[in-house]
Amino acid sequence: MPNTISAVKRVRQDERRTEYNRQAKSRLRHQIRAMRRALVGKDTKVAIDLLPKTFSIIDRSAKNGIIKMNTAARYKSKLHSKVKALSA
């Protein structure tokens, strides 16, 4: 239980931040899942259309600290190479 006014405020901020982070991580996971479904289904058009939006969400997640920069780079690299292999 927080004892000071600043500790009470910190608890409120932490709850707000946790909820934001949870939503952002969920949004990231759903987008990557949709991208992988398109790749597994060999749907080239959908995969190419989803690529910029997926990269944008990955970059924003890395910028906001939801995932690390190297993780973001790894996701982008793997997805891009799979899209290139699918479209070739």
Side-chain angles (χ1 to χ4, degrees):
M1 210 51 208
N3 291 326
T4 62
I5 293 172
S6 60
V8 172
K9 180 179 179 182
R10 178 54 64 188
V11 168
R12 275 196 322 264
Q13 289 174 329
D14 286 346
E15 287 172 356
R16 206 173 313 135
R17 212 58 223 159
T18 300
E19 184 57 32
Y20 171 80
N21 288 336
R22 188 177 292 130
Q23 287 175 356
K25 191 152 197 151
S26 178
R27 188 177 309 119
L28 172 68
R29 277 202 228 102
H30 279 80
Q31 188 64 34
I32 290 175
R33 202 172 292 142
M35 186 73 186
R36 287 182 178 153
R37 270 196 212 108
L39 291 168
V40 169
K42 301 199 185 305
D43 198 346
T44 309
K45 173 113 175 65
V46 173
I48 290 172
D49 289 343
L50 282 176
L51 198 63
K53 185 177 180 194
T54 304
F55 278 13
S56 173
I57 290 176
I58 290 172
D59 287 335
R60 270 185 282 151
S61 297
K63 185 181 84 172
N64 293 331
I66 307 299
I67 58 174
K68 293 185 177 178
M69 289 297 227
N70 283 354
T71 305
R74 192 174 60 245
Y75 281 158
K76 287 167 56 175
S77 174
K78 294 264 187 190
L79 290 173
H80 191 258
S81 63
K82 288 179 182 179
V83 168
K84 270 179 79 172
L86 185 64
S87 62

